[in-house]
Amino acid sequence: MKEAMWGRKYGYVRVSSKDQNIRRQICELEKLSIEKKNIFIDKQSGKDFNRPAFKDMVKTISEGDIIYVKSIDRLGRNYSEIQKWWRVITKEKGAYIKVRDMPILNQVQDETLLDVFISDLVLTLLSYIAENERNNIRRRQAEGIAAAKAQGVKFGRKNKPLPPNFEQVYWERKERKLTVAQAATKCGMARTTFYCGMSHWERNDTLQ
């Protein structure tokens, strides 16, 4: 069936940050004669679908409508979530999705069971590749951190220098002349920070 006989046309645009330019995506959608009021725009990460414009679009569409998106990663980057929302849009809402740079995913109104199977298979494959890549990135990060630590690289915030009176207060505390709370107050430190200071001092054998 020709596109002219479908329902309303919608477009979805997403960029990861407010500083990124959305004009190119919008221009492509306007060439398809999609009204500006039917173009939904999110400026946030694609790690999940907790996006206001996307949710509004899903609420707005109805059976027979068609959603255009430039690429699958504009829809999102979590492919298990993409599969979930793809089913919501196409199965529950009865709408259609057209991915501009991946025609194999594009749906038609008279699609056969083979078309549906191929589309679902491609989405599943994309999900596997994305998940595998995420795991590889985590593994490479862990290996990199381990290698850096082995070479003496330290991570995390640097410790603040201890106050000038710390040594005197340390000994007063060790001799039970002060409670921890009193010692911490004299040093202008929180109790937990004072404890950490004592451990650091003793670990580095500063006191002889």
Side-chain angles (χ1 to χ4, degrees):
M1 190 175 291
K2 295 181 180 180
E3 289 191 24
M5 300 181 66
W6 290 359
R8 292 165 297 179
K9 288 183 178 180
Y10 292 93
Y12 181 70
V13 172
R14 184 189 66 78
V15 290
S16 297
S17 70
K18 293 181 179 179
D19 297 329
Q20 287 183 296
N21 195 330
I22 62 174
R23 192 62 209 160
R24 187 171 59 175
Q25 292 183 60
I26 292 177
C27 283
E28 285 197 26
L29 296 174
E30 288 178 342
K31 289 176 183 177
L32 299 170
S33 300
I34 300 175
E35 298 180 56
K36 286 186 178 181
K37 67 177 183 178
N38 288 341
I39 296 176
F40 292 81
I41 303 169
D42 277 314
K43 294 185 178 182
Q44 65 186 82
S45 169
K47 66 181 181 180
D48 57 46
F49 281 79
N50 188 26
R51 297 175 236 139
F54 180 83
K55 289 184 175 180
D56 287 343
M57 180 181 68
V58 173
K59 290 178 182 177
T60 303
I61 61 175
S62 56
E63 187 174 356
D65 291 344
I66 178 169
I67 298 170
Y68 288 88
V69 60
K70 182 180 183 297
S71 58
I72 194 70
D73 66 334
R74 295 306 89 200
L75 198 60
R77 291 192 177 276
N78 183 323
Y79 283 88
S80 61
E81 284 288 295
I82 287 177
Q83 287 178 303
K84 169 190 170 183
W85 284 101
W86 191 283
R87 285 192 294 270
V88 169
I89 292 169
T90 61
K91 303 297 191 292
E92 296 179 18
K93 303 287 291 189
Y96 300 90
I97 302 173
K98 280 215 169 193
V99 182
R100 298 286 289 162
D101 67 357
M102 196 173 289
I104 195 170
L105 286 175
N106 292 348
Q107 298 178 306
V108 293
Q109 222 167 9
D110 56 351
E111 63 187 353
T112 65
L113 286 175
L114 180 59
D115 294 326
V116 174
F117 173 75
I118 291 174
S119 179
D120 288 347
L121 183 62
V122 171
L123 278 174
T124 301
L125 180 60
L126 287 172
S127 176
Y128 169 78
I129 292 172
E131 185 65 30
N132 193 55
E133 180 59 19
R134 281 196 294 272
N135 290 336
N136 285 337
I137 290 172
R138 294 191 191 103
R139 177 179 53 78
R140 288 194 294 267
Q141 287 175 337
E143 290 174 351
I145 291 171
K149 285 183 176 179
Q151 294 175 6
V153 177
K154 294 184 178 180
F155 295 87
R157 294 182 297 178
K158 293 183 179 180
N159 292 325
K160 291 182 179 180
L162 295 172
N165 67 335
F166 185 84
E167 181 176 358
Q168 177 187 341
V169 176
Y170 171 88
W171 283 113
E172 290 178 358
R173 169 57 193 157
K174 291 289 284 187
E175 294 170 1
R176 305 289 181 180
K177 294 179 180 179
L178 297 172
T179 65
V180 174
Q182 290 170 334
T185 300
K186 286 189 71 171
C187 288
M189 305 166 76
R191 289 178 59 179
T192 53
T193 306
F194 182 78
Y195 268 125
C196 290
M198 290 184 66
S199 298
H200 176 76
W201 189 277
E202 293 168 351
R203 186 169 58 250
N204 287 280
D205 296 322
T206 303
L207 300 177
Q208 300 296 329

